[in-house]
């Protein structure tokens, strides 16, 4: 009899475990927020809804757009009192009518997005308290199975119980993100992948260039600081001399004059190859060795002029050659060629993110053949130039915003980011959420393939690593304030 006791205990445990179906994500609808005391209330209602939606755990919630299809409704409100605000959420179950209240608050507008993250965690914690449902099928035969242990989960599928191995963390990881680091940065570029597997990453702020090594974590290796009279606008990398070591092409303006620089990183320090170059830079191409660096100048009024030309390197000397035939609305920072994409007749078409934010397709003759119905792009990077004449508005200063990158992948996919904000009027731009879109050109229309969920923060720049099939995002997650320098994050996502 003593020998039978372990067997009987195992059978009892198996019967109990086989009747348990772990709580699946519940169908959830997040309503637009009610807003009181804020500015731009209509836009803020939708923005808060989207931010909260993107922060909820998919393990707890399966989001649905139609509230009639939802088992759970999340109703939120935002109230501002002076500088302080309160976020209050009511979680309502349609099944039993139960109500749960959750709140979060903050002391300044800079804390709204972090507060939304804290609020989402509280909601996830409340939903995690749901009990597992017990489903017993008395007629179903009991099947022998190995004892549950770490790494094994039971799943109910069509009234049969199957045992599946839990995927490892490496298998389930779809993204990597660094810890937030202090400062607001505006440019990101990739370098070499070292024999150790570590990857060189470079970021730029307005007066700073940093080199990081990305392994399991992000480690700062070197930094160079520029004087306050210089302002970095953009950062690009390419290996124009094909020596296996990429150069960094840093777009810089000195007061109102282009004064760009070229650096090379030797693994421990930055070495400056050239300075006070009269061009702005943008690199196009996903492979470091075949990447092209384009250059363009600005005139006395701050307008781009002279056409977009290819940059050539000879030792420590740089020159421009040729000139791209582009539509009048195109400049160095807002175009990409649809080379080898779509029908033969459209292989030389150009896509331009025009000044008002619409994607536009032009054939070689420069006539517009297609224009998007929605706006994309959106950048906070700019330079100013005093005008030589006064317009009717009386503004003597011209503000020029650099546009987001448009990246054409080898398979013809066109990546286009979109930044959105609650306050983007005229020259006052403050973006607080973003998403990334993928398109394909059919020869007649630019068709959307997919887009990411809206994420909180400002997408300052991104880079695509063709060899790894990964996109690297530089995000500003906290804007600078009177007593804070802001924070940025680098995240890496796999594109299948």
């Amino acid at each position: 009899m003593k020998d039978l006791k372990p067997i009987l205990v195992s059978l009892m445990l198996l019967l109990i475990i086989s009747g348990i179906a772990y709580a699946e994500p519940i169908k959830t609808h997040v309503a637009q927020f009610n807003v009181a005391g804020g500015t731009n209330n209509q836009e803020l209602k939708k923005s808060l809804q989207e931010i909260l939606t993107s922060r909820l755990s998919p393990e707890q919630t399966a989001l649905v757009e139609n509230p009639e299809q939802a088992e759970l409704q999340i109703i939120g409100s935002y109230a501002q009192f002076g500088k302080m605000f309160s976020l209050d959420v009511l979680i309502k179950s349609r099944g039993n009518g139960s109500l749960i209240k959750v709140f979060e608050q903050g002391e300044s507008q800079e804390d709204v997005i972090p507060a939304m993250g804290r609020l989402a965690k509280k909601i996830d914690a409340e939903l995690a308290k749901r009990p597992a449902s017990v489903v017993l099928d008395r007629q179903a035969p009991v099947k022998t199975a190995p004892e549950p242990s770490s790494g094994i989960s039971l799943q109910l599928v069509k009234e049969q119980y199957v045992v599946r191995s839990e995927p490892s963390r490496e298998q389930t990881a779809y993204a990597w993100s660094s810890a937030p680091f202090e400062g607001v940065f505006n440019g990101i570029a990739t370098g070499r992948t070292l024999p150790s597997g570590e990857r060189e990453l470079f970021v730029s702020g307005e007066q700073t260039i940093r080199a990081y090594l990305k392994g399991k974590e992000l480690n700062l290796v070197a930094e160079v600081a520029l004087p306050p009279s210089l302002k970095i606008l953009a950062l690009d990398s390419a290996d124009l001399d094909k020596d296996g070591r990429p150069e960094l092409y840093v777009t810089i303006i000195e007061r109102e004059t282009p004064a760009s620089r070229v650096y090379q990183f030797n693994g421990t320090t930055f070495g400056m190859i050239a300075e006070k170059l009269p061009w702005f830079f943008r690199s196009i191409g996903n492979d470091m060795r075949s990447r092209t660096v384009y250059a363009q100048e600005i005139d006395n009024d701050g307008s781009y002029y002279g056409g977009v030309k290819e940059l050539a390197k000879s030792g420590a000397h740089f020159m421009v050659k040729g000139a791209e035939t582009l539509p009048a609305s195109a400049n160095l920072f807002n175009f990409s060629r649809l080379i080898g994409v779509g029908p033969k007749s459209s292989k030389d078409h150009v896509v331009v993110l025009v000044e008002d934010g619409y994607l536009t397709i032009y054939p070689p003759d420069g006539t517009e053949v297609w224009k998007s119905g929605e706006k994309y792009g959106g950048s906070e990077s700019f330079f100013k130039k005093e005008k030589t004449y006064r317009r009717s508005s009386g503004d003597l200063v011209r503000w020029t915003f650099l546009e987001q990158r448009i990246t054409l992948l080898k398979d013809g996919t066109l990546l286009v980011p979109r930044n959105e904000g609650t306050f983007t009027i005229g020259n006052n731009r403050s973006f607080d959420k973003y998403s990334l879109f993928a398109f394909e050109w059919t020869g007649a229309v630019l068709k959307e393939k997919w887009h990411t969920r809206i994420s909180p923060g400002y997408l300052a720049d991104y880079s695509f690593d063709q060899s790894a099939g990964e996109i690297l995002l530089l995000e500003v997650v906290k804007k600078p304030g009177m007593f804070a320098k802001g924070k940025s994050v680098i995240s890496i996502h796999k594109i299948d």
Side-chain angles (χ1 to χ4, degrees):
M1 292 295 294
K2 291 183 179 180
D3 295 334
L4 290 176
K5 286 184 178 180
I7 298 175
L8 291 172
V9 171
S10 297
L11 287 173
M12 291 176 65
L13 288 174
L14 183 59
L15 283 169
I16 294 170
I17 293 170
S18 64
I20 296 177
Y22 291 102
E24 295 182 355
I26 188 169
K27 292 181 180 179
T28 304
H29 172 74
V30 180
Q32 287 194 6
F33 273 60
N34 296 312
V35 177
T39 58
N40 298 317
N41 287 2
Q42 291 302 317
E43 293 184 6
L44 194 56
K45 290 178 181 180
K46 191 171 187 300
S47 298
L48 293 174
Q49 175 198 31
E50 292 172 344
I51 292 173
L52 179 59
T53 299
S54 68
R55 302 303 285 267
L56 292 175
S57 170
E59 296 179 0
Q60 302 291 343
T61 56
L63 299 171
V64 294
E65 293 186 6
N66 188 349
E68 297 299 322
Q69 299 175 345
E71 302 170 59
L72 203 70
Q73 286 191 326
I74 297 179
I75 304 167
S77 66
Y78 169 91
Q80 184 175 330
F81 309 94
K83 293 183 178 181
M84 295 191 65
F85 66 86
S86 177
L87 293 162
D88 297 85
V89 160
L90 185 67
I91 306 172
K92 183 178 180 180
S93 173
R94 292 185 61 185
N96 56 19
S98 65
L99 299 174
I100 301 174
K101 295 181 180 180
V102 179
F103 75 93
E104 187 59 58
Q105 61 188 34
E107 298 182 355
S108 70
Q109 292 301 299
E110 296 175 355
D111 194 38
V112 171
I113 292 179
M116 292 296 286
R118 299 193 298 269
L119 184 67
K121 289 182 179 179
K122 288 184 177 180
I123 295 173
D124 290 338
E126 290 295 333
L127 299 184
K129 296 177 182 178
R130 290 180 298 146
S133 59
V134 177
V135 183
L136 293 178
D137 186 352
R138 297 182 182 273
Q139 297 179 356
V142 177
K143 298 183 179 181
T144 58
E147 293 185 6
S149 61
S150 60
I152 299 294
S153 65
L154 292 174
Q155 183 176 351
L156 177 63
V157 180
K158 295 182 180 179
E159 299 182 352
Q160 292 184 349
Y161 299 96
V162 296
V163 180
R164 294 181 177 175
S165 297
E166 291 280 5
S168 65
R169 184 175 180 181
E170 288 74 19
Q171 291 173 319
T172 58
Y174 64 94
W176 173 91
S177 181
S178 72
F181 47 91
E182 189 174 73
V184 171
F185 291 82
N186 56 20
I188 186 170
T190 56
R192 300 169 295 178
T193 298
L194 305 181
S196 63
E198 294 176 304
R199 181 188 301 175
E200 292 177 337
L201 300 181
F202 306 99
V203 297
S204 62
E206 289 191 354
Q207 276 87 36
T208 305
I209 307 170
R210 288 182 178 178
Y212 287 96
L213 276 183
K214 191 273 171 188
K216 291 183 178 180
E217 297 180 353
L218 193 66
N219 297 310
L220 180 62
V221 179
E223 182 174 2
V224 59
L226 275 62
S229 60
L230 303 182
K231 180 181 179 180
I232 297 175
L233 301 175
L235 181 68
D236 292 84
S237 62
D239 185 11
L240 294 189
D241 56 12
K242 307 296 188 293
D243 65 351
R245 294 186 302 162
E247 306 91 39
L248 292 176
Y249 294 88
V250 190
T251 296
I252 298 173
I253 194 161
E254 185 173 13
R255 297 181 177 90
E256 295 186 346
T257 304
S260 298
R261 295 183 177 186
V262 180
Y263 288 88
Q264 195 159 53
F265 181 65
N266 65 8
T268 56
T269 58
F270 288 100
M272 187 166 63
I273 301 174
E275 63 178 332
K276 295 189 179 298
L277 298 176
W279 311 290
F280 289 169
F281 301 127
R282 177 71 96 200
S283 64
I284 293 181
N286 300 310
D287 182 76
M288 188 72 66
R289 293 178 65 84
S290 62
R291 189 173 295 167
T292 300
V293 177
Y294 290 101
Q296 193 169 20
E297 298 179 70
I298 61 171
D299 61 18
N300 292 332
D301 192 42
S303 301
Y304 297 103
Y305 90 99
V308 176
K309 301 176 181 179
E310 184 177 340
L311 188 72
K313 180 179 184 293
S314 177
H317 300 284
F318 294 87
M319 63 205 78
V320 292
K321 58 182 182 180
E324 291 285 313
T325 302
L326 297 173
S329 59
N331 62 61
L332 178 71
F333 296 104
N334 72 350
F335 88 99
S336 181
R337 286 198 175 277
L338 298 177
I339 299 173
V341 177
K344 219 178 220 185
S345 60
S346 66
K347 67 178 181 179
D348 293 325
H349 282 42
V350 174
V351 57
V352 179
L353 193 54
V354 294
E355 188 174 359
D356 57 6
Y358 293 98
L359 285 168
T360 311
I361 305 294
Y362 298 93
D365 63 8
T367 59
E368 179 186 310
V369 296
W370 184 87
K371 189 173 185 177
S372 67
E374 297 184 39
K375 293 184 178 183
Y376 300 91
S379 171
E380 295 182 6
S381 295
F382 68 91
F383 65 91
K384 294 188 291 186
K385 183 82 172 176
E386 186 175 347
K387 297 178 181 177
T388 55
Y389 64 95
R390 182 190 298 268
R391 290 185 177 179
S392 58
S393 64
D395 188 2
L396 286 174
V397 177
R398 179 189 181 100
W399 292 59
T400 302
F401 287 85
L402 280 63
E403 200 40 272
Q404 290 284 345
R405 297 179 192 270
I406 305 174
T407 303
L408 182 67
L409 309 187
K410 286 185 177 180
D411 66 354
T413 300
L414 192 71
L415 297 181
V416 183
R418 174 195 281 168
N419 277 307
E420 301 175 78
T422 55
F423 188 66
T424 55
I425 302 173
N427 297 325
N428 298 304
R429 297 190 178 188
S430 181
F431 298 106
D432 54 20
K433 56 183 181 291
Y434 73 90
S435 49
L436 188 68
F437 290 76
F439 298 93
E440 63 177 348
W441 173 244
T442 66
V445 298
L446 200 58
K447 182 180 179 181
E448 182 183 323
K449 296 175 65 177
W450 51 262
H451 67 269
T452 63
R453 294 172 64 180
I454 295 175
S455 300
Y458 162 57
L459 180 63
D461 194 15
Y462 74 97
S463 179
F464 182 70
D465 188 335
Q466 183 73 56
S467 61
E470 294 176 336
I471 186 166
L472 295 85
L473 307 178
L474 176 63
E475 309 162 66
V476 176
V477 294
K478 185 176 182 180
K479 296 294 181 70
M482 186 176 297
F483 303 106
K485 294 182 179 180
K487 290 185 182 294
S488 301
V489 163
I490 296 174
S491 60
I492 301 177
H493 301 257
K494 191 82 172 178
I495 296 182
D496 294 328

